Amino acid sequence: QVQLVESGGGLVQAGGSLRLSCANSGRTFSGWSVAWFRRAPGKEREFVAALSWTGGAIYNTDSLKGRFTLSSDNAKNTLYLEMNLLKPEDTAVYYCAATLKRNPLYTRDYEYNYWGQGTQVTVSA
């Protein structure tokens, strides 16, 4: 059974950094496409970034403008989202999601079958 567990959220001042983790409990991410989405208060869920099953990274460049970076540790079955130069508008619950689909629309949340519980990121001005 796939169980995604996010961690690393918290409260940070504008301009600061956080690193979010998404662990795939007991299973490798090999063959999976894994993504981060976020939902800000009063807004719809928004695509942040994804790592395809072939190793390619896709980012929401409009919102992130190069501030966020994906990485993975295969030995730990963990995907990371390094977030730098955080802004108050980055405040949201961040969710990890995964799919085994071979050619998903990576930016669409309905493509992902498995979701974590979310981790809160709050950026103060």
Side-chain angles (χ1 to χ4, degrees):
Q1 184 175 352
V2 176
Q3 184 174 5
L4 304 178
V5 180
E6 303 99 332
S7 61
L11 173 64
V12 64
Q13 289 187 329
S17 299
L18 283 174
R19 188 177 76 161
L20 304 184
S21 301
C22 173
N24 190 1
S25 179
R27 297 174 67 105
T28 176
F29 272 134
S30 177
W32 292 79
S33 295
V34 189
W36 288 97
F37 286 80
R38 66 185 182 184
R39 188 192 296 273
K43 295 187 177 181
E44 295 189 353
R45 190 156 53 191
E46 177 187 36
F47 170 76
V48 176
L51 188 65
S52 74
W53 65 280
T54 58
I58 305 103
Y59 295 95
N60 183 338
T61 55
D62 289 341
S63 297
L64 306 184
K65 300 188 186 301
R67 298 181 294 118
F68 292 8
T69 304
L70 287 171
S71 63
S72 63
D73 185 334
N74 293 331
K76 295 182 178 180
N77 300 328
T78 301
L79 178 72
Y80 301 102
L81 181 68
E82 184 77 31
M83 306 187 297
N84 299 310
L85 298 174
L86 284 163
K87 305 175 181 180
E89 51 263 44
D90 294 318
T91 294
V93 178
Y94 284 71
Y95 298 91
C96 177
T99 181
L100 279 173
K101 292 181 181 181
R102 279 298 173 256
N103 292 295
L105 295 172
Y106 290 102
T107 63
R108 298 291 188 250
D109 56 4
Y110 55 75
E111 295 281 54
Y112 297 87
N113 310 100
Y114 300 95
W115 291 82
Q117 81 288 350
T119 186
Q120 176 71 49
V121 171
T122 303
V123 184
S124 63

Coordinates of all heavy atoms in Angstrom, one line a residue, residues 16-47:
G16 N 13.1 33.7 3.7 CA 13.7 32.5 4.2 C 13.5 31.2 3.4 O 13.0 31.3 2.3
S17 N 13.9 30.1 3.9 CA 13.9 28.8 3.2 C 13.3 27.7 4.0 O 13.3 27.7 5.2 CB 15.3 28.4 2.8 OG 15.9 29.4 1.9
L18 N 12.7 26.8 3.3 CA 12.3 25.5 3.9 C 12.5 24.4 3.0 O 12.6 24.6 1.8 CB 10.8 25.6 4.2 CG 10.3 26.4 5.5 CD1 8.8 26.4 5.5 CD2 10.8 25.8 6.8
R19 N 12.7 23.2 3.5 CA 12.8 22.0 2.7 C 11.7 21.0 3.1 O 11.7 20.6 4.2 CB 14.1 21.3 2.8 CG 14.3 20.2 1.8 CD 15.7 19.6 1.8 NE 15.8 18.7 2.9 CZ 16.8 17.7 3.0 NH1 17.6 17.6 2.0 NH2 16.9 17.0 4.1
L20 N 10.8 20.8 2.2 CA 9.7 19.8 2.4 C 10.2 18.4 2.0 O 10.9 18.3 1.0 CB 8.5 20.2 1.7 CG 7.9 21.6 1.9 CD1 6.6 21.7 1.2 CD2 7.7 21.8 3.4
S21 N 9.7 17.4 2.7 CA 10.0 16.0 2.3 C 8.8 15.2 2.1 O 7.7 15.5 2.7 CB 10.8 15.3 3.5 OG 12.0 16.0 3.8
C22 N 8.8 14.3 1.2 CA 7.7 13.4 0.9 C 8.3 12.0 0.9 O 9.1 11.7 0.0 CB 7.1 13.7 -0.5 SG 5.8 12.5 -1.0
A23 N 7.9 11.2 1.9 CA 8.4 9.9 2.0 C 7.4 8.9 1.5 O 6.2 9.0 1.9 CB 8.8 9.6 3.4
N24 N 7.8 7.9 0.8 CA 6.9 6.8 0.3 C 7.1 5.7 1.3 O 8.1 4.9 1.1 CB 7.2 6.5 -1.1 CG 6.2 5.6 -1.7 OD1 5.2 5.2 -1.1 ND2 6.5 5.2 -2.9
S25 N 6.2 5.5 2.2 CA 6.4 4.6 3.3 C 6.6 3.2 2.8 O 5.7 2.6 2.2 CB 5.2 4.7 4.3 OG 5.4 3.8 5.3
G26 N 7.8 2.6 3.0 CA 8.0 1.2 2.7 C 8.1 0.9 1.3 O 8.3 -0.3 0.9
R27 N 8.1 1.8 0.4 CA 8.2 1.5 -1.1 C 9.1 2.5 -1.7 O 9.3 3.6 -1.3 CB 6.8 1.6 -1.7 CG 5.8 0.7 -1.2 CD 4.4 1.0 -1.9 NE 4.5 0.7 -3.3 CZ 3.9 -0.3 -3.9 NH1 3.3 -1.2 -3.1 NH2 3.9 -0.5 -5.2
T28 N 9.7 2.1 -2.8 CA 10.5 2.9 -3.6 C 9.7 3.8 -4.5 O 8.6 3.4 -4.9 CB 11.5 2.1 -4.5 OG1 12.2 3.0 -5.3 CG2 10.7 1.1 -5.4
F29 N 10.2 5.0 -4.9 CA 9.6 5.8 -5.9 C 9.9 5.4 -7.3 O 9.4 6.1 -8.2 CB 9.9 7.3 -5.6 CG 9.0 8.0 -4.7 CD1 9.6 8.8 -3.7 CD2 7.7 7.9 -4.7 CE1 8.8 9.5 -2.8 CE2 6.8 8.5 -3.8 CZ 7.4 9.3 -2.8
S30 N 10.7 4.4 -7.5 CA 11.1 4.0 -8.8 C 9.9 3.7 -9.7 O 9.0 2.9 -9.3 CB 12.0 2.8 -8.7 OG 12.4 2.3 -10.0
G31 N 9.8 4.3 -10.8 CA 8.6 4.1 -11.7 C 7.5 5.0 -11.4 O 6.5 5.0 -12.2
W32 N 7.5 5.8 -10.4 CA 6.5 6.7 -10.1 C 6.8 8.1 -10.5 O 7.9 8.5 -10.5 CB 6.3 6.8 -8.5 CG 5.7 5.5 -7.9 CD1 6.4 4.4 -7.7 CD2 4.4 5.2 -7.6 NE1 5.6 3.4 -7.1 CE2 4.3 3.9 -7.0 CE3 3.2 6.0 -7.6 CZ2 3.2 3.3 -6.6 CZ3 2.0 5.4 -7.1 CH2 2.0 4.1 -6.6
S33 N 5.7 8.8 -10.9 CA 5.8 10.3 -11.0 C 5.3 10.9 -9.7 O 4.2 10.5 -9.3 CB 5.1 10.8 -12.2 OG 5.6 10.3 -13.4
V34 N 6.0 11.8 -9.2 CA 5.7 12.4 -7.9 C 5.6 13.9 -8.0 O 6.5 14.5 -8.6 CB 6.7 12.0 -6.8 CG1 6.2 12.4 -5.4 CG2 6.9 10.5 -6.8
A35 N 4.6 14.5 -7.4 CA 4.4 15.9 -7.6 C 4.1 16.6 -6.2 O 3.8 15.9 -5.2 CB 3.3 16.2 -8.5
W36 N 4.3 17.9 -6.2 CA 3.9 18.8 -5.1 C 2.8 19.7 -5.6 O 3.0 20.3 -6.7 CB 5.1 19.6 -4.6 CG 6.1 18.8 -3.8 CD1 7.2 18.3 -4.3 CD2 6.0 18.5 -2.4 NE1 7.9 17.6 -3.3 CE2 7.2 17.7 -2.1 CE3 5.1 18.7 -1.4 CZ2 7.4 17.2 -0.8 CZ3 5.3 18.2 -0.1 CH2 6.5 17.5 0.1
F37 N 1.7 19.8 -4.8 CA 0.7 20.8 -5.1 C 0.6 21.6 -3.8 O 1.0 21.2 -2.7 CB -0.6 20.1 -5.4 CG -0.7 19.5 -6.8 CD1 -0.1 18.2 -7.0 CD2 -1.4 20.1 -7.8 CE1 -0.2 17.7 -8.3 CE2 -1.4 19.6 -9.1 CZ -0.8 18.3 -9.3
R38 N -0.1 22.7 -3.9 CA -0.4 23.5 -2.7 C -1.8 24.1 -2.8 O -2.3 24.3 -3.9 CB 0.7 24.6 -2.5 CG 0.7 25.7 -3.6 CD 1.8 26.6 -3.4 NE 1.8 27.7 -4.3 CZ 2.8 28.6 -4.4 NH1 3.8 28.6 -3.6 NH2 2.7 29.6 -5.3
R39 N -2.3 24.3 -1.6 CA -3.6 25.0 -1.6 C -3.5 26.1 -0.6 O -3.4 25.9 0.6 CB -4.8 24.0 -1.2 CG -6.1 24.6 -1.3 CD -7.2 23.8 -0.6 NE -7.4 22.5 -1.3 CZ -8.1 22.3 -2.3 NH1 -8.9 23.2 -2.8 NH2 -8.3 21.1 -2.8
A40 N -3.7 27.3 -1.1 CA -3.7 28.5 -0.2 C -5.1 28.7 0.3 O -6.1 28.3 -0.3 CB -3.2 29.7 -1.0
P41 N -5.3 29.4 1.4 CA -6.6 29.7 1.9 C -7.5 30.4 0.9 O -7.1 31.4 0.3 CB -6.3 30.6 3.1 CG -4.9 30.3 3.5 CD -4.2 29.9 2.3
G42 N -8.7 29.8 0.7 CA -9.6 30.4 -0.2 C -9.3 30.2 -1.7 O -10.0 30.8 -2.6
K43 N -8.3 29.4 -2.0 CA -7.9 29.2 -3.4 C -8.0 27.8 -3.8 O -8.0 26.9 -2.9 CB -6.5 29.8 -3.7 CG -6.4 31.3 -3.5 CD -5.0 31.8 -3.9 CE -4.9 33.3 -3.8 NZ -3.6 33.8 -4.2
E44 N -7.9 27.5 -5.1 CA -7.9 26.1 -5.5 C -6.5 25.6 -5.4 O -5.5 26.3 -5.4 CB -8.4 26.1 -7.0 CG -9.9 26.5 -7.2 CD -10.4 26.2 -8.5 OE1 -9.6 25.8 -9.4 OE2 -11.6 26.3 -8.8
R45 N -6.5 24.2 -5.5 CA -5.2 23.6 -5.4 C -4.4 23.9 -6.6 O -4.9 23.9 -7.8 CB -5.4 22.1 -5.3 CG -4.1 21.3 -5.0 CD -4.5 20.0 -4.3 NE -5.4 19.2 -5.0 CZ -6.0 18.1 -4.6 NH1 -5.7 17.7 -3.4 NH2 -6.9 17.4 -5.3
E46 N -3.1 24.2 -6.4 CA -2.2 24.7 -7.5 C -1.0 23.7 -7.6 O -0.4 23.3 -6.6 CB -1.7 26.1 -7.1 CG -0.7 26.7 -8.1 CD -0.1 28.0 -7.6 OE1 0.1 28.1 -6.4 OE2 0.1 28.9 -8.4
F47 N -0.7 23.4 -8.9 CA 0.5 22.6 -9.1 C 1.8 23.4 -8.8 O 1.9 24.6 -9.1 CB 0.6 22.3 -10.6 CG 1.9 21.7 -11.1 CD1 2.2 20.3 -10.8 CD2 2.8 22.4 -11.8 CE1 3.4 19.8 -11.2 CE2 4.0 21.8 -12.2 CZ 4.3 20.5 -11.9

